[in-house]
Amino acid sequence: MLAVTDLRIAYGKTEVVHGVSFDVAAGECIALIGANGAGKSTILKAICGLIPPSSGDIRFEGRSIGGLPGHAVARLGICMCPEGRQMFPEMTVLENLQLGAYRRRSEDISGTIDEVMTLFPRLRERASQLAGTLSGGEQEMVAIGRALMAKPRLCIFDEPSLGLAPKVVDEIEETLMKIKNLGVTILLVEQAVSMALRVADRAYVLEAGEVVASGTSQEISNDSRVQSAYLGG
Amino acid sequence: MLVDLLQQLFNGLVIGSIYTLVALGLTIIFGILGIAHFAHGSVAMFGGYLTYFLILALGIGVFPAMALAMAGGALLGVVLERVAYYPVRNAPPINSFIIALGLTLIIEKSNLLLFGVDQIIVPTGFNRIFTIGGLALPELRIYILLTAAALVVALTILIQKSWMGMAVRAVAQNRAAAILMGINVHAVSMFVFALSSALGVAAGVLVGALFAIAPGVSGGLVVKGFAVLILGGLGSIPGAIVGGLVLGVSETFASAFVSSAYKDVIAFLLMIGVLLVKPEGIMRRSVAR
Amino acid sequence: MIRPVLLAVVAAAALAFPHVVTANYFIHLAVLAMVWMIVAAGTNVIQGYAGYVSIAQGGFMGIGAYSSALLSLDAGVPVWLAISVAPFITALAALIAGYPSLRVRGHYFAILTLAMNMVIYIVLVNWIPVTGGEAGTTGIPAPEPISIGTLEISFERRVNYYYLVLAALALTMLIVTAVVRSRVGRVLEAIRQNETFAEAAGVACWKYKLFAFVISASLAGFAGALYAHYMSFISPAPFSVDHSLNAILAVILGGSGTLTGPLVGAALTVALPEVLRIAEIFRLIIYGFALVVVVIFLPRGLVPWIADLAGRDWKLPRAQSAESR
Amino acid sequence: MRRLGVLTIAAAIAFSPLATRAAEKTLTIGVSDALSGGGAVYGVPEKRAIDLAIEQINAAGGIAVGKDKYKLAAIVYDDKADPTEATNVARKLIDRDGVKYLLGYCCSASTGAVASIIGREDAIMLVGTAGARAITSAGHKNVFRTRPPGDYTGDAAGRFIASQGVKRLGVVAARDVALFTQYRDALIKAFESEGGKVVAVETFGGQDRDMTAQLTKVRGLEPDAYFISGYVEQVAFAHRQAHELGIKAPRFGFSGGSAAQFLRVASAEAMEGVWDLIAIEFNAEALGENAKNYAKAYEAKWKEYPTPNSAFAYDQVYVLKAALEAAGTVDDLEAVKKALRNLTVPKEVVLRYLPVDGKMFDPKGQAYISNGAFQFRNGNWVFVKELPSDAAAYSKFFQTVRD
């Protein structure tokens, strides 16, 4: 579904991603793991059209999307649940969810809202509250729900557990499993490596802008380097 | 004495409703694009002139002519965004600011060139005067209040209820997230310029009906608009509404009870005071609410 | 190597000008151009170096002009003293206005200075007993003649006033050069490029910004005083917002953040309409287009652009171009 | 406006003596007037009147100076009624264009500025409509004015208002145009010396078009009558707003605009009964043959009826013609000044001047005409009566003041 080939990205003259390749098949859940500054978020931004790649190819369902503007990528059905939640803080929870369905604005979205609220009952209670006033965990739910509102073909999660209490992280993990079981294709970027590996089918390990290991989650979990670097083993 | 107070209040509200319209256009542009669109007053004047000539040329009433002129203004707004502001969207803010100053000169003087130097008054035919107690309520001023109110309500509904309005608010609050939702920020920019220029044109028509459109009027108008913006908080729609009325009324009272010579100074002092004490304005900063 | 030579050539040309071009009118234009150069050089400090757009330069010019004129007319202060004091009066006004205003940044600051200019203008128009209102103040004396031996130099004569303003311009350039090449100048550039960074690095930015603002204003006031005693008549009109915009245009057109750019820009804004002999209205439309086009296509202004074209290494302290940020 | 390159100008200056010798002689005069902005309602008609006079003089063979016949040509600049712009224009005309005679000048502030510097210049300035006293009272030997100063008329107006039975007068007037402030002060002084009381003096500025606040305030003081003065564009708004506020008391004023100029802003209903107390500037019925012919010619050329004060400018040109012919020179300014000072009222002028000591201009170069009361009736100004005014007495006082 998504194929990234030899992707290079530079900020100004400094190249930060040096020829990364990976792919995501339909229905799969893939994790990109790596330390802070490994280039994970940069790659996601390039996929979503927020920054242009300097070279390499990004294909989505066979079509090259590298350099396409962000809104056009979103309209193809690639939806990102961004790092730091990125609420529309002065809109209500309901409005945030509605905006998630912006690419489907000609359709009736009340059914989808109902589905998302069933997934996150807390959001139903908070529907008319301003998103900026919610707790971090609740905001993450809004962010995930908002991404689902688009009925995405590919859903990208950028550090969904960042800055959340361990109990909430467990909830997020549960939610990701639910979404995966709904059949949504997922690209997950996480620093919480053990959680990511529990959710994902396959994983790529990034270090300093390069893929240093890849394989099924099982294989990666067993990789000694990964164990020592990320899993505290 | 009470009648005089009420009379001054009514007069102040009429002027204030025009300030509100000007400020609304400025505030949505600032909220979305962070541009201090100084040419807004000249666009308003352009609209007033255009309406005047449409009324003369087509023999239509003031409201249809105003609607046409607003459409023309919207188009002009889109052109300004595309041609002048779009190329500097990623440059430091000082650049867009200087573009705005340049556009002001161009539009202001083009108005002179196109429409001449004479002051013009938009003919309305609303000459009746209603009197309640000792309070004189000229028909024209009532219509101005109503027109401004109708436009404010229409804008509020548009911004609160429509998909485009949601997109506008989304871009104002979180540009990056809005892009991820599939919102085309450039389309929103153009829409915002079209919308605000149409509002500006409406304000220009009202000024032209109540007073006159003449070279030099636009400068005062745009500065009052910014004063309102600062009073109400840059980017805040309710702030613009409240701020406009507050400025209109306080100016009228200042003119009557303090000094008609320094009424503009009083408005600026108010603005400077707000900036220094409560820089976010008397209302919260946001296009959202 | 090339710069001292060029400087000498320009200086020689400036000194010779009134003897080559003897038509009174062109000397008049040259005086006006130099007055504007002083304003533009000052504007450049706050706008080109610190990156803050001040739309109050016209107003500060007015404060300088009126204080010098009124001191000499009403208080009987010698004109030389009045002209020397005017920049300090203006500086004081700028200090009072700038201290609170510089707490805000960017657009807020620009709008605030615009309001300042309008307040100054309104006061000039309405404080009729002192300023004479819109009708202005007449009969402002020229500086007292200087006697060197038997030679008496009268500044009623236009040529002599030309040399006076030329000397003032040279003084201005010395001051501005000293400021921008000092540590202060480097801090101002840092503020322009990233104020938050500079702040985080422990620089008390507000002090430097205030200093830049006050220097800009007092040079405008200086120019205003020179203008008043040259014209012998002033009214509020030349100190309106329009003329603040003119100063901004001069800086942008010539090259903001360069020493020579604003001078070239100011000369162009005075000379162009005369050379083109076009109606005022077209001139202003052309100015508008010039602003837009220069900002979009030549964000660094004419002088750096020409310098680049000439392929020379002019070691001017110049603004980072917009696109590299 | 001539649009020539600098080089062409330089060439023209360099070769102008040659050119004059070769062709028939032309005397170029400079015209500075407000052709745009708020003053344009006065400046444009003034410029048109000058154009008309020049055309007539040239068609009749020009000006006979000694043995030569001079045709007139004008270089016209827009001074926007702005003092600074007007001084720049004067510099251009004198220094660059080499003009010796400056005409036009509709507005007080701009004219006052030029008058303040003209004393040092080698030129003669003929002032049209501008009414600030200092323009001529300052006593520059090269300034002459056809229009009487504002306070000359204001005094007569104050007495007239009192004679109408007004006891309490509310004043709403232009704030700082010397013409209007001097008129207003003279009016108040005269009105109070007749036993009247001024209940309030409210003012408005040069850009204001909303006088509602001031009018509402004065309305609350319940005066018997209002006095509203300023430039037409603004005063028309004040009358419209007074009408909107339901003010029924009589409104007197001073602005001297044509009916058409007022009706562009205020309805005939709002204007009905309003008084304008002005120098009798122009009234074809009251003034006779010359005036009728002027109105006819002006209307034929410009497709509109002349505004009242345009006649001052028209007369300027004939005054200059008479003075040049009397002096027998166009180059010797001292002789021309002397001729102007000794001039009797030329026969071609439209207005009825009141000579002082038999001469058109008094020792300070000031001319006088009579004052009159006009009232707006059924969409037009109607001449009601002449206001008693003593030109000789005023002139005597005028010699003693400098501002």
Side-chain angles (χ1 to χ4, degrees):
Chain A
M1 179 176 258
L2 180 75
V4 173
T5 323
D6 197 24
L7 181 68
R8 287 170 190 276
I9 307 165
Y11 287 117
K13 285 181 180 157
T14 327
E15 192 177 82
V16 291
V17 174
H18 318 287
V20 165
S21 303
F22 63 91
D23 59 275
V24 185
E28 233 185 347
C29 177
I30 299 293
L32 293 185
I33 56 181
N36 212 351
K40 305 175 307 257
S41 286
T42 306
I43 293 170
L44 294 192
K45 280 185 187 153
I47 294 172
C48 291
L50 296 182
I51 51 174
S54 39
S55 72
D57 195 21
I58 305 171
R59 282 182 178 271
F60 180 65
E61 295 183 326
R63 182 180 162 190
S64 177
I65 59 167
L68 220 58
H71 64 90
V73 174
R75 284 175 193 189
L76 292 175
I78 298 180
C79 265
M80 170 135 107
C81 178
E83 181 183 337
R85 270 97 55 191
Q86 304 293 338
M87 294 289 93
F88 300 111
E90 298 194 25
M91 290 201 220
T92 62
V93 168
L94 183 63
E95 284 175 320
N96 267 276
L97 293 183
Q98 285 170 339
L99 272 168
Y102 190 80
R103 78 179 189 105
R104 300 168 53 216
R105 60 195 181 283
S106 53
E107 302 166 26
D108 179 15
I109 58 165
S110 53
T112 326
I113 289 182
D114 211 54
E115 284 168 29
V116 169
M117 288 194 168
T118 311
L119 193 61
F120 301 110
R122 197 125 28 113
L123 296 189
R124 200 186 294 276
E125 296 161 29
R126 302 250 190 263
S128 58
Q129 201 169 325
L130 292 187
T133 64
L134 299 180
S135 72
E138 287 166 336
Q139 286 193 3
E140 190 59 52
M141 288 176 199
V142 176
I144 296 172
R146 193 174 63 180
L148 293 179
M149 284 300 296
K151 292 220 180 235
R153 311 170 70 82
L154 170 65
C155 203
I156 302 176
F157 293 93
D158 192 0
E159 310 275 11
S161 73
L162 195 72
L164 297 180
K167 185 164 161 284
V168 187
V169 175
D170 290 347
E171 273 180 56
I172 299 289
E173 182 179 339
E174 223 171 278
T175 312
L176 289 176
M177 290 306 292
K178 275 190 208 164
I179 295 169
K180 185 183 164 190
N181 292 338
L182 289 173
V184 178
T185 311
I186 296 175
L187 176 59
L188 173 65
V189 162
E190 258 302 347
Q191 287 187 65
V193 174
S194 50
M195 186 267 255
L197 291 178
R198 281 197 295 278
V199 178
D201 303 317
R202 289 192 295 130
Y204 293 82
V205 181
L206 283 168
E207 245 169 50
E210 282 176 86
V211 175
V212 292
S214 65
T216 63
S217 297
Q218 197 61 45
E219 289 163 7
I220 296 292
S221 307
N222 294 337
D223 185 304
S224 58
R225 283 176 305 167
V226 173
Q227 273 189 342
S228 63
Y230 305 109
L231 299 174
Chain B
M1 200 58 212
L2 180 66
V3 167
D4 287 339
L5 281 180
L6 287 176
Q7 185 75 55
Q8 299 285 23
L9 181 67
F10 172 73
N11 297 339
L13 287 175
V14 172
I15 310 290
S17 69
I18 296 179
Y19 290 163
T20 291
L21 280 186
V22 175
L24 277 177
L26 287 173
T27 216
I28 51 177
I29 288 183
F30 194 91
I32 304 298
L33 300 155
I35 294 172
H37 181 44
F38 268 89
H40 195 61
S42 311
V43 172
M45 292 297 109
F46 169 78
Y49 282 118
L50 190 59
T51 305
Y52 175 79
F53 283 96
L54 284 173
I55 291 172
L56 290 198
L58 307 180
I60 51 178
V62 61
F63 287 114
M66 179 166 143
L68 281 177
M70 283 171 76
L75 196 67
L76 175 64
V78 171
V79 171
L80 294 186
E81 199 277 333
R82 282 284 96 177
V83 174
Y85 288 119
Y86 183 79
V88 294
R89 66 196 179 285
N90 295 325
I94 186 172
N95 291 29
S96 66
F97 194 80
I98 287 166
I99 297 266
L101 299 181
L103 287 180
T104 311
L105 273 178
I106 297 172
I107 301 172
E108 179 82 21
K109 303 307 165 190
S110 301
N111 280 341
L112 270 178
L113 209 58
L114 288 173
F115 303 112
V117 298
D118 291 341
Q119 78 170 10
I120 62 113
I121 291 150
V122 174
T124 58
F126 302 139
N127 288 326
R128 283 179 297 170
I129 297 159
F130 305 109
T131 314
I132 302 171
L135 196 63
L137 304 173
E139 187 186 16
L140 174 62
R141 293 191 178 219
I142 293 173
Y143 279 129
I144 283 174
L145 262 184
L146 291 179
T147 307
L151 286 171
V152 169
V153 169
L155 174 80
T156 311
I157 292 174
L158 184 69
I159 292 284
Q160 289 299 331
K161 302 293 175 200
S162 74
W163 274 110
M164 199 59 189
M166 289 245 280
V168 167
R169 287 151 63 209
V171 173
Q173 290 178 24
N174 192 330
R175 198 182 178 85
I179 295 172
L180 294 177
M181 299 301 115
I183 294 170
N184 183 344
V185 176
H186 301 318
V188 168
S189 298
M190 282 194 279
F191 172 77
V192 160
F193 259 90
L195 185 65
S196 98
S197 300
L199 282 176
V201 164
V205 175
L206 298 187
V207 169
L210 184 57
F211 303 123
I213 298 163
V217 170
S218 61
L221 207 58
V222 81
V223 169
K224 293 291 166 60
F226 275 115
V228 170
L229 233 66
I230 286 180
L231 271 179
L234 285 171
S236 161
I237 288 175
I241 298 170
V242 175
L245 297 179
V246 165
L247 183 63
V249 171
S250 56
E251 238 182 55
T252 306
F253 277 93
S255 177
F257 299 110
V258 186
S259 154
S260 53
Y262 288 99
K263 65 171 187 190
D264 293 328
V265 172
I266 288 159
F268 290 129
L269 291 183
L270 210 58
M271 158 173 144
I272 292 170
V274 166
L275 253 190
L276 298 180
V277 177
K278 202 164 182 293
E280 70 276 19
I282 49 180
M283 309 291 279
R284 286 178 58 189
R285 178 218 178 279
S286 158
V287 152
R289 324 186 49 237
Chain C
M1 265 318 281
I2 195 123
R3 285 192 61 225
V5 176
L6 211 62
L7 201 64
V9 168
V10 170
L15 285 170
F17 178 82
H19 301 286
V20 178
V21 183
T22 49
N24 252 339
Y25 187 69
F26 291 107
I27 300 175
H28 169 67
L29 287 181
V31 171
L32 289 187
M34 290 191 296
V35 166
W36 276 105
M37 284 178 188
I38 296 174
V39 179
T43 308
N44 190 31
V45 175
I46 182 87
Q47 181 181 325
Y49 288 92
Y52 273 68
V53 179
S54 161
I55 318 183
Q57 291 301 95
F60 286 126
M61 204 179 157
I63 291 182
Y66 273 89
S67 42
S68 185
L70 296 176
L71 276 177
S72 55
L73 268 178
D74 297 348
V77 173
V79 176
W80 289 106
L81 185 60
I83 293 181
S84 325
V85 168
F88 293 98
I89 296 176
T90 315
L92 189 67
L95 195 67
I96 294 167
Y99 179 71
S101 312
L102 281 160
R103 286 172 42 179
V104 296
R105 290 186 189 181
H107 293 291
Y108 286 98
F109 178 76
I111 294 168
L112 210 54
T113 52
L114 175 76
M116 257 180 232
N117 202 143
M118 300 202 81
V119 170
I120 294 170
Y121 186 79
I122 290 169
V123 171
L124 292 182
V125 166
N126 287 303
W127 199 12
I128 298 165
V130 173
T131 63
E134 263 173 285
T137 293
T138 57
I140 304 165
E144 294 79 7
I146 297 176
S147 299
I148 303 170
T150 53
L151 184 71
E152 195 183 72
I153 302 171
S154 157
F155 292 96
E156 301 254 342
R157 280 200 59 210
R158 216 170 281 180
V159 177
N160 294 338
Y161 210 96
Y162 171 93
Y163 286 113
L164 172 64
V165 179
L166 184 62
L169 177 61
L171 177 68
T172 301
M173 290 317 293
L174 282 179
I175 294 172
V176 170
T177 310
V179 167
V180 303
R181 295 217 171 137
S182 70
R183 198 184 102 80
V184 177
R186 288 194 296 278
V187 173
L188 291 179
E189 290 218 36
I191 289 174
R192 188 192 65 226
Q193 281 168 13
N194 197 329
E195 186 169 345
T196 317
F197 254 46
E199 197 85 55
V203 177
C205 290
W206 70 271
K207 282 185 194 161
Y208 291 89
K209 288 190 295 183
L210 191 58
F211 178 75
F213 184 65
V214 168
I215 285 277
S216 295
S218 63
L219 286 176
F222 185 37
L226 290 167
Y227 175 82
H229 293 279
Y230 171 66
M231 295 295 281
S232 97
F233 161 81
I234 46 171
S235 73
F239 312 120
S240 67
V241 171
D242 279 4
H243 294 80
S244 295
L245 297 187
N246 205 39
I248 294 172
L249 171 72
V251 172
I252 293 282
L253 193 64
S256 99
T258 68
L259 284 170
T260 40
L263 305 189
V264 174
L268 282 179
T269 58
V270 174
L272 269 183
E274 294 298 331
V275 174
L276 299 174
R277 294 300 306 272
I278 43 175
E280 170 87 356
I281 178 168
F282 288 105
R283 171 171 79 90
L284 293 169
I285 291 177
I286 289 172
Y287 277 13
F289 275 110
L291 271 179
V292 172
V293 168
V294 167
V295 169
I296 293 177
F297 296 105
L298 298 174
R300 289 160 53 203
L302 283 177
V303 167
W305 179 62
I306 292 168
D308 282 358
L309 279 190
R312 294 216 178 93
D313 181 22
W314 287 33
K315 292 220 168 66
L316 302 174
R318 82 171 47 129
Q320 284 285 306
S321 63
E323 61 273 8
S324 72
R325 266 182 286 160
Chain D
M1 197 179 297
R2 291 197 322 195
R3 291 180 191 161
L4 300 169
V6 174
L7 284 178
T8 333
I9 285 284
I13 293 166
F15 295 112
S16 55
L18 248 173
T20 348
R21 219 173 296 140
E24 77 175 326
K25 294 199 172 180
T26 301
L27 176 66
T28 305
I29 59 170
V31 177
S32 172
D33 241 322
L35 305 179
S36 63
V41 290
Y42 303 99
V44 170
E46 208 170 80
K47 184 225 158 225
R48 289 178 170 178
I50 292 172
D51 280 352
L52 174 66
I54 290 178
E55 193 179 288
Q56 288 175 344
I57 289 171
N58 287 348
I63 301 177
V65 180
K67 282 173 292 187
D68 301 322
K69 278 273 192 184
Y70 281 89
K71 292 274 167 75
L72 285 178
I75 300 178
V76 184
Y77 291 115
D78 178 9
D79 64 32
K80 302 192 191 79
D82 174 71
T84 302
E85 192 66 31
T87 51
N88 288 340
V89 164
R91 286 255 145 80
K92 270 190 212 172
L93 285 170
I94 298 168
D95 289 345
R96 190 179 63 192
D97 302 332
V99 163
K100 287 195 158 45
Y101 303 95
L102 307 179
L103 279 75
Y105 296 106
C106 68
C107 298
S108 289
S110 48
T111 310
V114 178
S116 77
I117 60 164
I118 201 76
R120 285 194 232 151
E121 303 287 337
D122 211 12
I124 288 178
M125 177 180 183
L126 288 156
V127 178
T129 321
R133 195 166 67 189
I135 293 168
T136 42
S137 68
H140 298 298
K141 296 293 174 213
N142 51 356
V143 181
F144 297 84
R145 174 164 60 177
T146 38
R147 186 226 179 100
D151 55 340
Y152 167 74
T153 308
D155 179 78
R159 288 174 211 287
F160 173 73
I161 294 174
S163 78
Q164 296 293 298
V166 175
K167 295 277 173 253
R168 294 163 52 79
L169 183 68
V171 175
V172 178
R175 187 174 301 133
D176 69 338
V177 178
L179 166 64
F180 297 112
T181 55
Q182 286 164 0
Y183 179 108
R184 183 186 77 201
D185 293 346
L187 175 139
I188 291 173
K189 201 172 151 211
F191 177 70
E192 290 186 333
S193 76
E194 299 284 322
K197 181 176 164 29
V198 172
V199 294
V201 179
E202 287 292 318
T203 61
F204 51 83
Q207 297 288 321
D208 289 354
R209 285 186 179 80
D210 182 15
M211 294 76 169
T212 321
Q214 291 95 318
L215 287 166
T216 305
K217 189 178 173 190
V218 177
R219 185 185 70 172
L221 300 168
E222 298 178 351
D224 304 337
Y226 292 75
F227 173 75
I228 301 173
S229 81
Y231 288 133
V232 183
E233 277 190 337
Q234 296 171 293
V235 165
F237 274 102
H239 285 301
R240 166 170 152 179
Q241 288 153 5
H243 178 68
E244 284 174 353
L245 287 170
I247 288 172
K248 298 278 185 283
R251 281 172 269 146
F252 298 89
F254 169 60
S255 41
S258 70
Q261 287 171 340
F262 274 99
L263 290 176
R264 253 173 242 151
V265 175
S267 63
E269 195 192 346
M271 288 300 297
E272 185 66 23
V274 168
W275 293 87
D276 205 8
L277 309 175
I278 55 180
I280 303 184
E281 300 175 324
F282 180 71
N283 184 287
E285 284 66 42
L287 291 171
E289 263 335 281
N290 273 359
K292 280 184 192 143
N293 291 338
Y294 165 63
K296 213 187 286 170
Y298 188 101
E299 213 169 357
K301 185 168 168 65
W302 298 112
K303 312 287 173 254
E304 62 175 26
Y305 199 74
T307 59
N309 47 38
S310 62
F312 287 122
Y314 179 83
D315 287 356
Q316 279 182 337
V317 189
Y318 279 99
V319 164
L320 179 66
K321 172 174 183 282
L324 292 174
E325 288 179 347
T329 170
V330 297
D331 300 315
D332 182 356
L333 290 186
E334 286 310 316
V336 178
K337 278 184 221 168
K338 200 165 159 225
L340 275 165
R341 236 165 259 296
N342 292 319
L343 199 66
T344 52
V345 178
K347 64 181 192 314
E348 299 97 333
V349 299
V350 163
L351 300 174
R352 195 175 296 153
Y353 293 93
L354 303 174
V356 176
D357 290 338
K359 291 166 188 166
M360 173 156 182
F361 294 104
D362 77 2
K364 280 190 173 172
Q366 180 62 56
Y368 302 92
I369 59 175
S370 60
N371 296 311
F374 293 77
Q375 194 172 29
F376 207 91
R377 293 177 189 166
N378 299 320
N380 218 335
W381 289 113
V382 177
F383 175 67
V384 178
K385 63 175 290 198
E386 196 164 318
L387 304 180
S389 14
D390 187 343
Y394 180 84
S395 174
K396 212 166 157 193
F397 156 75
F398 188 69
Q399 305 310 310
T400 65
V401 291
R402 285 193 59 81
D403 62 345

